[in-house]
Amino acid sequence: MRAARLIKMVLLLQSRPVMTAAELARELEVSERTVTRDAQALSEAGVPVYADRGRAGGYRLVGGYRTRLTGLARGEAEALFLSGVPGALREMGLADTASAARLKVSAALLPSLRDAPDTAAQRFHLDAPAWFREPETPAPLPVLAEAVWDDGRVLARYRRAEDTVERRLEPYGLVLKAGVWYLCARVATNGSFRTYRIDRFTAVDPLGERFDRDPEFDLPGFWAEQAERFARSILRAEVVVRLSPEGLRRLPHAVDPLAARTALAEPGAPDAAGRVTVTLPVESEEVAYEQLTALGPEAEVLAPAALRERFAADAARAAALYHPGDG
């Protein structure tokens, strides 16, 4: 436990010119007294940790000291090489940079761990695009990736309905969802955060201006909130369905996950046949028809009436195919 903490302390001091005892205590989740003892232990072990006294003082490493990555276990080293998505890095124009970084990390590993990149690559592969579609790299993606790295403002033009809209944007982050790239950005004129599909941009031009990033912005949290809001916004209709136990089991695989969770949150009481009635939010009756058809006889649509009649007509046609009359 202490050995891992000492390694983390050295790495923290390598990443910053100086850190106070309070800062180190907060990062290491220990007391300042423990930080003092750990610094002394490192010094006695030959690590040149120096303590500056006074109000502006703190701990720092002297003499350009650097540690090699000798504290990594095999699992940690292999996991390190899973942190990038090669296809996504290539599309953003960062493949060469990522390759150089991997080479440097590999060179710093112990000889016994040099095969970590290969063992990880042969066991895990992320194929981000959805099935049955050819992934396309949006032309503005490399420019936006550079702007995200550099906190640089851009002038973006994008398609909205029949119009082309122009916005001064502050790019905060990129998201790859099912093969589609999205930009999370702050609008420079009003400070609101928006999400844009990058393939709808017609042009993106750097403005040569830097912006101050909001330190409270959380990209994963923002994306999750936006994704759920979008999912709820398109579920504008409702369908009442009676489901068999098998239909209940298969429902989350046939419809939108948010819709399934909503429907199954308050199901009705099972009837004599064990069937349960639920109210399912859907995008439209047409989408509901396509989704619920996959459940076959495990789902009976009760409302709206027009959709029930459509399923009834389909059931009659199917019965005629499998049990044709004598005539």
Side-chain angles (χ1 to χ4, degrees):
M1 183 70 176
R2 190 189 186 195
R5 189 176 71 242
L6 292 175
I7 292 172
K8 184 176 181 180
M9 183 174 181
V10 173
L11 294 175
L12 285 169
L13 293 174
Q14 281 187 186
S15 64
R16 307 178 196 180
V18 64
M19 293 186 69
T20 66
E23 290 172 335
L24 283 168
R26 184 167 57 252
E27 292 282 353
L28 299 172
E29 299 181 350
V30 296
S31 66
E32 293 186 31
R33 185 185 297 272
T34 299
V35 168
T36 301
R37 288 199 298 265
D38 286 352
Q40 180 64 31
L42 287 171
S43 181
E44 293 173 355
V47 179
V49 178
Y50 181 78
D52 292 314
R53 306 298 178 184
R55 294 182 59 186
Y59 292 92
R60 60 187 175 88
L61 294 174
V62 297
Y65 178 85
R66 309 292 295 177
T67 183
R68 292 172 62 84
L69 296 179
T70 54
L72 286 177
R74 169 164 291 278
E76 294 169 332
E78 291 172 344
L80 182 64
F81 289 93
L82 296 176
S83 59
V85 184
L89 291 171
R90 183 172 57 253
E91 292 180 8
M92 289 188 291
L94 300 174
D96 291 342
T97 302
S99 177
R102 285 193 294 268
L103 285 173
K104 290 178 180 179
V105 173
S106 296
L109 291 172
L110 286 170
S112 61
L113 299 179
R114 295 283 168 80
D115 64 339
D118 295 330
T119 57
Q122 293 304 318
R123 285 165 172 79
F124 300 97
H125 175 67
L126 176 60
D127 185 8
W131 285 102
F132 312 120
R133 61 179 296 171
E134 289 294 329
E136 296 183 2
T137 303
L141 181 58
V143 176
L144 288 169
E146 185 174 353
V148 168
W149 277 118
D150 296 338
D151 295 338
R153 288 193 182 94
V154 299
L155 182 65
R157 287 175 286 279
Y158 64 97
R159 298 185 302 274
R160 189 173 66 181
E162 301 298 324
D163 301 324
T164 298
V165 181
E166 187 174 271
R167 292 283 187 272
R168 289 165 59 90
L169 299 178
E170 298 173 347
Y172 266 63
L174 297 170
V175 176
L176 178 61
K177 171 70 172 180
V180 179
W181 283 97
Y182 295 86
L183 172 71
C184 300
R186 183 169 61 186
V187 180
T189 53
N190 59 26
S192 63
F193 284 93
R194 304 286 179 84
T195 302
Y196 302 88
R197 273 188 62 144
I198 295 179
D199 58 10
R200 293 179 182 168
F201 284 117
T202 58
V204 176
D205 299 312
L207 292 174
E209 305 170 358
R210 292 177 62 85
F211 65 89
D212 293 326
R213 177 178 286 263
D214 182 353
E216 300 298 321
F217 180 80
D218 172 34
L219 179 60
F222 175 78
W223 175 257
E225 180 182 332
Q226 293 293 304
E228 181 164 344
R229 183 179 301 172
F230 173 75
R232 291 188 182 280
S233 71
I234 64 174
L235 299 176
R236 303 186 182 94
E238 288 185 343
V239 174
V240 181
V241 189
R242 184 182 290 128
L243 298 168
S244 69
E246 177 64 13
L248 281 171
R249 186 189 69 81
R250 289 166 50 186
L251 184 68
H253 306 287
V255 304
D256 178 86
L258 176 61
R261 289 197 302 271
T262 303
L264 298 178
E266 297 181 1
D271 61 15
R275 289 180 170 256
V276 172
T277 299
V278 301
T279 300
L280 178 70
V282 294
E283 184 175 347
S284 65
E285 288 187 23
E286 185 62 33
V287 172
Y289 172 77
E290 294 176 359
Q291 293 175 336
L292 294 176
T293 297
L295 297 181
E298 308 303 331
E300 177 190 359
V301 173
L302 303 180
L307 186 60
R308 177 178 174 83
E309 291 171 3
R310 186 174 180 181
F311 273 97
D314 283 354
R317 290 170 57 199
L321 288 173
Y322 288 98
H323 300 286
D326 295 337

